[in-house]
Amino acid sequence: MKKQFVILCLLAVSGLLRAQMNNPYVDDKIVHFGFSLGVNFMAYGVTDTEQEINGEIYHARTSSMLPGFAVGFITDVRLSRHLNLRFLPTLNFGQITVNYKTESGHEVPGSSGNKAEVLSLPLALPLVLKWSAEREKNYRPYIVAGGGVGFDFAGQKERPLYQKMTDYFITFGFGCDLYLEWFKLCPEIRYQLGFNNVLTPIEDRPELAQRDYFYTQALRRLRNQMITISFNFE
C-alpha cells in the first residue's frame, strides 16, 4: 500500500510539472530569497605522519560517512538570463570518525580505543555562481561553483581529536529547478573541499591526557570534505 501511495505521489508531481508553465516570471526577479533543508556527509582527507610513536607506526582513515543534517538560507541576485549570484549561509550538524590501526596489529592504547570521534557543527558561508540552462516547461537544470569560509562551533576540546574553528573552502555541484504552482523546488548536490589543515597541534592542547597524544601525533594533516544533498525552496 505504501509503495502504491509513493508511486501515485510521484505521478502526480510529474503530471503537474508537465502541465502548463508554472510561475512564468519567477526568474525575472532581481533579488529573491529562500531556504534549504538537506542531509550532509562529512569526512576528512587524512595524511599520516608515518613516524614511529612509542614503538608503533599508526595509520588513520575516515570511516564510512554518517549522514548529518543541514539547514540554510538563500539570497539570490540575478546577473543575467542564465547567471545568478547566490549567498548560502548553512548550518550543518554531523560527526566524523577517524579509525586508527598499527602496522604491528597491536591494540591502540588511547582512551577512545581505535577510533576518535569529532562532533562537527560548522556554519558555512559560501558565495557561488549559478549557471542555468534554458527553461524547458517546468524544468531547468543548473550548475553552481564558488567558495567561502566556515566556522566550526562544536568546540569539544576534551576529545582526543580536536578541529580548528576556521576553514576556507571551494564548492561546486549541480541541481534542477522544478517550477511548482506557488514556488520553486530545487534538489541540489554539492561537494565542499576545505583548504586549511584543521588539525589542532599537541602544543595547543594542554588539557589533553598524555596517553591520547598519539591520536594527533599520528596525523600530519586533516582537510574537511563534505557532500550535501539539499532541497531548496525558493
Side-chain angles (χ1 to χ4, degrees), residues 59-75:
H59 297 287
R61 292 292 179 269
T62 302
S63 67
S64 300
M65 294 188 292
L66 300 174
F69 181 68
V71 57
F73 184 73
I74 300 166
T75 300

Side-chain angles (χ1 to χ4, degrees), residues 51-158:
Q51 295 178 353
E52 189 174 286
I53 304 169
N54 299 326
E56 294 279 7
I57 294 179
Y58 295 90
H59 297 287
R61 292 292 179 269
T62 302
S63 67
S64 300
M65 294 188 292
L66 300 174
F69 181 68
V71 57
F73 184 73
I74 300 166
T75 300
D76 184 288
V77 179
R78 183 178 187 268
L79 302 179
S80 68
R81 180 182 178 87
H82 295 282
L83 195 63
N84 294 62
L85 180 67
R86 292 162 71 82
F87 180 53
L88 309 169
T90 304
L91 185 62
N92 296 278
F93 307 84
Q95 177 177 300
I96 306 172
T97 301
V98 180
N99 289 328
Y100 293 79
K101 67 177 182 179
T102 64
E103 285 192 345
S104 66
H106 292 159
E107 289 292 324
V108 174
S111 62
S112 293
N114 69 341
K115 64 181 181 180
E117 295 180 344
V118 180
L119 294 181
S120 190
L121 185 65
L123 173 64
L125 303 173
L127 189 66
V128 303
L129 288 171
K130 173 184 176 182
W131 184 88
S132 303
E134 283 293 336
R135 176 173 174 172
E136 181 64 31
K137 292 187 178 178
N138 291 316
Y139 301 87
R140 195 179 192 190
Y142 64 84
I143 57 174
V144 292
V149 60
F151 303 96
D152 196 307
F153 295 103
Q156 295 187 315
K157 289 188 175 182
E158 71 279 2

